[in-house]
Amino acid sequence: MELPGLAVGVWMFVCFCAPVSGYPNGKVREACASMIPCHGGSPQLTPEHIITVNGTEFKPGDSIEVNLSGPDFEGFFIQARDTERLDGPAVGSFMLADRRLSQLLTCGRTKNSAVSQTSKTKKKHMKVYWIAPGDAPKHVQFLATVVKKYRTFWVKIPGPIVSQPDVLSPTTPLHATSEAASTSYPVSYLSKPFSASGCGSMKFCIRNPSNCDPASASCFFLSFQKEETSVFIEMSGPSEGYLAFALSHDQWMGGDDAYLCINEDHRVHVSTAHLTGRSRPLLDSENALEDVSWRLVDGVLQCSFRRSIHLPAYKERFNLDASYYIFLADGEASEGGLIFKHRRQPLITDGLYNVTGPPQDIGGSRSPRLIKAHGALMFVAWITTVSIGVIVARFFKPVWAHSFLFGKEMWFQVHRILMLTTVLLTSISFVLPFIYRGGWSQQAGFHPYLGCTVMALTIFQPLMAGFRPSRHAPRRQLFNWFHWSTGTTARILAVVTMFLGMDLPALDLPDAWDTYTMIGFVAWHVGIDVLLEIHSYCLIRKVEVIEDDRVQILQSLTSAEAEGHLFKQVVLTIYVCGNIVFLVAFLIAVNKI
C-alpha cells in the first residue's frame, strides 16, 4: 500500500534506527547520522547506483550539481560530509531541481542539509544542487542511501570528493561504507540440507511432524546446539515466503523475541524482531547474529546462525539460558521482503523449554489441546449422537413399539439418552474456547455467532420437551412441529458452524479432509434418511385393497412396518458403524495437527 503525500517523502528518513524524536513536521534530526533505514536485515554490499558531480573544486557559496543514477529505485537520502569525519554532521545545504520527486530535510543544526524522495515512484535519476557553506572543510564527500525495495537497500554509497582550491586531494580514497559494513554480517550459502543427527543427544530439536527428516519437503525443523558462550541455531521448512521462530513467556503472541528467515528474490535475509501483540513484527536494523547461512531449494527454506546466550546490549533479545514456549511459524512474503500474517496457527511447544539445557527431541502442536477437545466433542455430539437419535425417533417407533427400557418405550428412551448426551457434550465443548481465549474471539468470523445460536437451540430443545402435551392433546401437533423445526434448524446450523470452524487457524485441518469428509458425512446421513423414507413408503404401498362401496381399506401401517423391522435394524447398524468411521477419521486428523 503506498503511503500518501508528504509521509512518503520522509518514509525512509523517518525509519532510521537511532532513537528518534521528531520535529513538529515529522522530520527527524537524531537519525540523520546512521543513514540506515530500519527495514530489518542488512544492506547490500555492492552498490548499483553512482553519484556524479559537475566539478571537483568549490569555494564557499558555490553551487555543485549532484546526480544520483542507476537501476530503478524507490527511495534515496543524500548528504555531504567532511571527508575526514564521515561519521560527523552533514555539511552545507541543498537546493532542489525537481520538487515533485525530492524534498529538503534538516539534519542537526544545518537547514536543508539533506534530500530525500517525496513518493515511492520508481526513479532512475535524481538531480540536486549542493551549496558550499562559508565554514566548509577542505574536502567534502557526497554520500547516498538508496532503497530499491523494502528489503533491498544500500547505505552510504560513496560519491566523489570535492575540495577547496589550492588544497591537496586526500592521498587515500575514503570509503563511506564502513558503518554499513559494521552493521552487517557475513553471509554464506549452505551446501546441503540440515540433519537430524544429534537431536536429543547433542542438540535440542523441534520437529513437525514428529521425527521427520529436515531434508524432506514436508518437515518443519528447528534445532539449538549449545556452545561455550553461544548457541548455533538451524531452522528449515517448506516455505516460499518466510520461516520464523519466537521465544515467549506464554502461549500467546506478544512481547516475544523473534527470528525470521525471509525469502526475497530468491535470496534469504535473516533478521531479529520483537513481537508486540498481534501486530506485524518490528524488524531490527541491527542484528545480534553471526555466521549466517541459508539455502533455498525446491520450496524448502533453510537458514542457520549463531547468537550469544546473553546479549545485554540488546534489550529485546531474551537470554537463552531460561525456559520459554517456542513458536514456529511460516507465511508469505512480498517481493520487497514485506511479510504477511501466517496462514495457519504456529507450531507451539506444549510446555516451557530451556534450549541450552539437556538436549531433547520434541514436537509441538498447531492446535491447542482445548481447541482440539472443543472440535472433538462437537463432532461426537452433532455427527454421532444427535444423528442416531433423530433416526431412531423418526423410523423406529413401530420397530420398538413393544420393547421397554426403564418403564418407557425403548425408542423414546434411546432417543432421549442420545439427545441429553448431545446437550451435555455441546455444553462442555461450548465453554472450552472461552477458557482458551479468556473471552470472546474477534478473529473467528461467523463461527462463534453461529455456535452461540446452536447452543441456545440446544438448551431450548429439551426445555420445550419438558412441556410436551399428552399424545392426544389438541396442542400435540403444534408441539411436534416446533420440536422438529427447532431440532432441524440446530442440526443444519451445527454442520455449517463445523465447516467454518475447521478452517480457523486454531484448528486448521487439512483441506482435503475438512471439505470432502464433511461433505461425505452429510451425503451419508441424507442417503440413509432417504433410504429409510423410501422403505417406509414402499411398505405403506403394500396394501390389500378391498373395494366395497368405493372405499379402499389400507393394510395396517403397523403391520406393514413390522415386515421391515429386520431391514431397518440392519440399516441402523450400518449407519452407526459409518458414523463411527467418520468420528475416528476426525479424531485422527485432529491428533495430527
Side-chain angles (χ1 to χ4, degrees):
M1 183 177 71
E2 290 198 357
L3 301 174
L6 184 59
V8 175
V10 294
W11 156 70
M12 179 185 70
F13 187 55
V14 172
C15 284
F16 293 108
C17 297
V20 295
S21 59
Y23 277 179
N25 62 5
K27 300 172 184 177
V28 183
R29 292 184 295 181
E30 289 84 348
C32 288
S34 67
M35 298 184 71
I36 303 174
C38 59
H39 298 176
S42 60
Q44 306 296 308
L45 299 180
T46 304
E48 296 181 354
H49 304 79
I50 60 172
I51 305 172
T52 58
V53 294
N54 66 344
T56 58
E57 292 187 354
F58 70 90
K59 293 183 294 185
D62 282 355
S63 171
I64 292 182
E65 180 182 306
V66 181
N67 293 275
L68 174 66
S69 59
D72 286 347
F73 57 95
E74 295 180 352
F76 67 92
F77 186 53
I78 300 175
Q79 285 187 3
R81 295 192 180 183
D82 185 345
T83 304
E84 298 179 358
R85 294 182 58 204
L86 289 177
D87 58 346
V91 173
S93 58
F94 287 89
M95 292 193 308
L96 303 178
D98 189 343
R99 295 183 178 274
R100 296 172 303 168
L101 299 177
S102 59
Q103 66 173 340
L104 299 172
L105 303 174
T106 297
C107 286
R109 298 180 180 179
T110 306
K111 187 176 182 180
N112 301 334
S113 56
V115 186
S116 74
Q117 81 285 352
T118 57
S119 71
K120 290 174 64 177
T121 303
K122 292 187 181 298
K123 300 166 276 286
K124 292 182 180 292
H125 175 265
M126 183 55 56
K127 179 170 68 174
V128 295
Y129 297 96
W130 179 71
I131 309 301
D135 57 349
K138 295 178 181 180
H139 307 285
V140 173
Q141 186 170 24
F142 296 98
L143 306 175
T145 288
V146 177
V147 176
K148 182 178 181 180
K149 295 179 182 178
Y150 181 79
R151 300 270 303 191
T152 305
F153 57 90
W154 294 262
V155 174
K156 289 185 177 179
I157 299 174
I161 297 175
V162 295
S163 306
Q164 295 196 44
D166 303 325
V167 175
L168 294 177
S169 299
T171 55
T172 303
L174 301 179
H175 299 283
T177 57
S178 58
E179 183 170 349
S182 67
T183 62
S184 64
Y185 43 75
V187 178
S188 62
Y189 186 79
L190 294 167
S191 60
K192 59 182 180 179
F194 297 141
S195 171
S197 176
C199 284
S201 59
M202 299 178 59
K203 55 187 179 182
F204 185 101
C205 297
I206 301 173
R207 292 191 272 178
N208 179 255
S210 298
N211 301 317
C212 65
D213 182 359
S216 72
S218 60
C219 181
F220 287 92
F221 177 79
L222 178 64
S223 72
F224 302 84
Q225 186 167 0
K226 183 182 177 182
E227 299 169 343
E228 291 186 2
T229 60
S230 62
V231 175
F232 185 68
I233 301 170
E234 298 173 323
M235 178 166 55
S236 71
S239 177
E240 296 288 350
Y242 71 90
L243 287 175
F245 80 88
L247 306 176
S248 178
H249 296 292
D250 52 39
Q251 291 184 301
W252 294 98
M253 182 177 173
D256 307 325
D257 180 13
Y259 301 80
L260 300 93
C261 299
I262 306 172
N263 174 18
E264 181 193 345
D265 296 333
H266 303 290
R267 293 182 61 86
V268 177
H269 296 275
V270 181
S271 179
T272 55
H274 182 70
L275 303 182
T276 303
R278 292 177 175 267
S279 59
R280 192 185 303 275
L282 301 175
L283 302 182
D284 299 322
S285 59
E286 297 185 9
N287 274 303
L289 310 178
E290 300 173 347
D291 300 332
V292 175
S293 300
W294 61 271
R295 186 173 186 263
L296 186 62
V297 177
D298 297 330
V300 177
L301 191 158
Q302 297 183 314
C303 62
S304 64
F305 52 88
R306 180 177 282 104
R307 65 146 282 187
S308 298
I309 295 176
H310 300 97
L311 291 170
Y314 298 85
K315 296 181 179 180
E316 305 295 351
R317 305 280 75 79
F318 294 175
N319 292 332
L320 296 183
D321 55 359
S323 295
Y324 306 100
Y325 289 98
I326 304 172
F327 290 59
L328 181 59
D330 65 292
E332 297 179 352
S334 68
E335 291 184 359
L338 182 66
I339 68 172
F340 299 99
K341 181 180 178 181
H342 42 79
R343 295 180 294 105
R344 56 178 174 170
Q345 185 86 350
L347 183 76
I348 306 174
T349 57
D350 294 331
L352 295 164
Y353 291 94
N354 184 345
V355 298
T356 59
Q360 298 185 56
D361 188 5
I362 64 172
S365 174
R366 294 188 181 274
S367 180
R369 291 177 178 176
L370 288 177
I371 299 301
K372 286 184 177 181
H374 168 75
L377 291 176
M378 284 297 188
F379 200 93
V380 171
W382 293 96
I383 299 302
T384 306
T385 58
V386 76
S387 301
I388 298 173
V390 169
I391 292 289
V392 167
R394 179 80 177 98
F395 299 105
F396 281 79
K397 290 179 184 180
V399 177
W400 294 336
H402 303 292
S403 299
F404 294 89
L405 183 65
F406 305 121
K408 295 281 187 179
E409 293 174 325
M410 180 178 287
W411 73 266
F412 177 75
Q413 292 289 51
V414 172
H415 172 75
R416 181 160 63 178
I417 291 171
L418 290 173
M419 291 309 181
L420 290 177
T421 302
T422 299
V423 174
L424 178 62
L425 294 177
T426 303
S427 300
I428 295 173
S429 178
F430 180 77
V431 301
L432 296 182
F434 291 96
I435 296 175
Y436 170 70
R437 291 289 182 186
W440 184 265
S441 174
Q442 300 290 342
Q443 302 179 359
F446 290 105
H447 178 78
Y449 298 98
L450 291 176
C452 289
T453 303
V454 171
M455 186 71 245
L457 293 174
T458 302
I459 297 297
F460 178 71
Q461 186 77 330
L463 292 177
M464 181 171 56
F467 297 94
R468 178 179 63 253
S470 62
R471 181 170 300 179
H472 302 291
R475 292 180 297 175
R476 180 58 182 259
Q477 193 67 25
L478 184 63
F479 165 81
N480 289 342
W481 188 89
F482 272 109
H483 190 63
W484 174 86
S485 60
T486 302
T488 302
T489 301
R491 292 171 62 205
I492 293 173
L493 290 179
V495 171
V496 174
T497 305
M498 285 190 288
F499 265 113
L500 296 176
M502 288 187 296
D503 286 330
L504 291 177
L507 189 66
D508 189 11
L509 295 173
D511 290 340
W513 190 95
D514 64 19
T515 301
Y516 299 122
T517 305
M518 279 301 294
I519 292 175
F521 165 74
V522 173
W524 169 253
H525 176 76
V526 172
I528 293 294
D529 208 330
V530 171
L531 177 63
L532 291 174
E533 287 285 0
I534 294 174
H535 175 257
S536 297
Y537 175 78
C538 291
L539 287 178
I540 295 173
R541 294 295 298 172
K542 288 183 179 180
V543 297
E544 182 179 351
V545 179
I546 301 176
E547 196 165 323
D548 182 12
D549 294 331
R550 294 180 296 180
V551 174
Q552 291 181 336
I553 303 176
L554 301 181
Q555 181 182 356
S556 168
L557 178 61
T558 303
S559 175
E561 286 282 4
E563 297 178 11
H565 286 182
L566 178 61
F567 177 82
K568 287 187 175 182
Q569 289 173 348
V570 170
V571 171
L572 180 62
T573 302
I574 295 174
Y575 180 70
V576 171
C577 292
N579 281 22
I580 292 175
V581 170
F582 281 109
L583 177 61
V584 171
F586 177 84
L587 295 179
I588 292 175
V590 168
N591 188 55
K592 287 183 178 180
I593 58 178

